[in-house]
Every structure is written in structure tokens, then in C-alpha cells.
Amino acid sequence: TTIGNLAFECCFSLTSVIIPDSITTIGDNPFYCCSSLQEFSGKFASEDGRCLVIEGVLKSFAPSGITGYAIPYSVTAIGGYAFVNCNLTSVTIPDSVTTIGEGAFGSCSRLTSITIPSSVTTIGNGAFNDCDNLTSVTIPDSVTAIGDNAFRSCSRLTSITIPDSVTTIGDYAFYCCNLTSVTIPDSVTSIGDYAFQGCFSLTSVTIPDSVTAIGDGAFSDCYNLQEFSGKFASEDG
């Protein structure tokens, strides 16, 4: 009746899976790192056989043989670690999706750009962690929180526009990104611990009046940072 979290992790030779009608519960990405997996069939399989979807939550993905993928409109949430470590270079997220779960696209090292639709309100912890070829991200003004480690170590990400809807930037959210500029909107109230640590190319930061809390080391190791302006900035910047 139940398949647990990561149940078949790293079964590298597995090519197909049939889910029987008896299954009622599937944990987070039970077929993680099954790099030869081409097809799901049976209960919860999407029409194209590439995904397992339970009550709108995409639980697992069969990655073998494709580099681009359009997530079906039946999906309302991308589950934890659903696409982790895939070789996808492009992903289309439909506007039916409201949540991108924890680690959903973590370590997708070939992913170069992502457009997040305006239906999404939450970007989970580590959602794009270690996507080290990601150069472009569009965050819509529906998103209210950027989770811990959300874009951590996206080392080729050079710029980001944080929309006015965001109130919280999580711990390590942009740790070791290659950001040259960042605009923190007036809606943000807290910037997490080490949120921008190691953004070596960042030269200036403006802190809006809305910010009430800045975590430890939020801008530490930003070696080219020349100036703070706005709230909390010293007279010399």
C-alpha cells in the first residue's frame, strides 16, 4: 500500500515501473537517481508515462533519454526532490503549479534557465540548490517566500530580480551565487543567515526600510562589495 521516501534510490539499471492499484501512498522521490528509468505505468502514472502524480503532487520523474520536459497541467505541486540530479537542460512549469517543493530541482547541473509561472507562491528549501549552470531565473510577483538554500551555489547566476511580493529571504538562499547586482524590494522584512555570503561579484546593496532583521553573515565574503545604502547603513556606507 505504501512506497517510502527514496525507496528505490540509485537503482541505476531500472528502466520501467508498474504501480499497482493497491498503492495509496508514495513518499518523496522513491526513484531518486534511477538514471535509466524511462517509464511509469499503472496507478498514478501521467499520460506520457514520465511522472507519478498523486492528488496533483508530482512525486517522481523518469529522466532517461530526454533533456527537455513540459510538466503536465495535472500537476499543482512539484514534490520534494522530484527532479533532483536530472540531466534536463530545460523545464516548462505550467501555471497550474503553486508550490515548488524542497530540493525539487537540486543538482540539476545542466539546467540553464527557468521561468517560474505566476501561479507559484512558494519556492521551497534547496529548490534549485547546486544548479551550477543556471544563468537566468524569473521569479514572479506571486512568490512570497524564498526558502533556505533555494539558489545556493548557483555559481553562474549573475543577476536576480526579487519581486515586491517576497517578504522573506531564507538562510543561504543565494550563497555563493555570482550575483553582480541585487535589488531587495520594500516588501522584504527579513534576510536570513548567510543569505548572500560568497557573492564575490556583488558591489552594492540597498536595504529597504521594510527590513527588520538581517541574519548572521548575510553579506560576508562578498569581497567586491563597496557600499551599503538604505536602512542600517553607516554614514560611510
Side-chain angles (χ1 to χ4, degrees):
T1 60
T2 301
I3 300 174
N5 297 340
L6 305 173
F8 296 91
E9 178 182 4
C10 294
C11 291
F12 301 119
S13 299
L14 191 63
T15 58
S16 65
V17 175
I18 301 170
I19 304 295
D21 289 343
S22 58
I23 298 293
T24 57
T25 304
I26 295 178
D28 285 343
N29 201 352
F31 299 97
Y32 166 67
C33 224
C34 294
S35 54
S36 297
L37 188 57
Q38 299 173 12
E39 183 182 23
F40 295 107
S41 58
K43 193 174 183 181
F44 304 128
S46 59
E47 286 189 11
D48 64 0
R50 286 288 176 173
C51 302
L52 290 179
V53 182
I54 298 181
E55 295 181 349
V57 180
L58 196 161
K59 290 285 189 175
S60 224
F61 175 66
S64 181
I66 56 174
T67 57
Y69 188 67
I71 294 171
Y73 275 89
S74 59
V75 173
T76 57
I78 299 171
Y81 307 97
F83 291 89
V84 69
N85 207 34
C86 283
N87 286 326
L88 294 173
T89 58
S90 64
V91 178
T92 302
I93 302 173
D95 57 14
S96 56
V97 171
T98 60
T99 302
I100 299 174
E102 182 173 355
F105 295 94
S107 299
C108 288
S109 59
R110 297 187 182 183
L111 193 63
T112 58
S113 65
I114 192 82
T115 298
I116 299 168
S118 58
S119 54
V120 171
T121 58
T122 302
I123 299 174
N125 296 344
F128 297 93
N129 183 32
D130 281 328
C131 292
D132 49 17
N133 273 307
L134 194 63
T135 58
S136 172
V137 178
T138 300
I139 300 175
D141 58 10
S142 54
V143 172
T144 58
I146 298 173
D148 297 346
N149 302 297
F151 296 94
R152 179 175 179 147
S153 298
C154 292
S155 56
R156 296 193 180 185
L157 189 62
T158 57
S159 66
I160 192 79
T161 299
I162 300 171
D164 290 340
S165 54
V166 170
T167 60
T168 303
I169 299 172
D171 298 345
Y172 295 95
F174 296 97
Y175 172 86
C176 277
C177 290
N178 197 29
L179 297 175
T180 57
S181 65
V182 62
T183 300
I184 299 171
D186 289 335
S187 55
V188 171
T189 59
S190 66
I191 300 171
D193 294 343
Y194 310 103
F196 296 91
Q197 183 184 25
C199 291
F200 303 122
S201 299
L202 196 60
T203 58
S204 64
V205 175
T206 301
I207 306 295
D209 289 342
S210 56
V211 172
T212 58
I214 298 177
D216 292 341
F219 298 94
S220 61
D221 297 332
C222 295
Y223 298 131
N224 286 304
L225 189 57
Q226 299 172 13
E227 183 183 24
F228 291 109
S229 58
K231 192 173 184 181
F232 304 129
S234 60
E235 287 188 10
D236 63 359

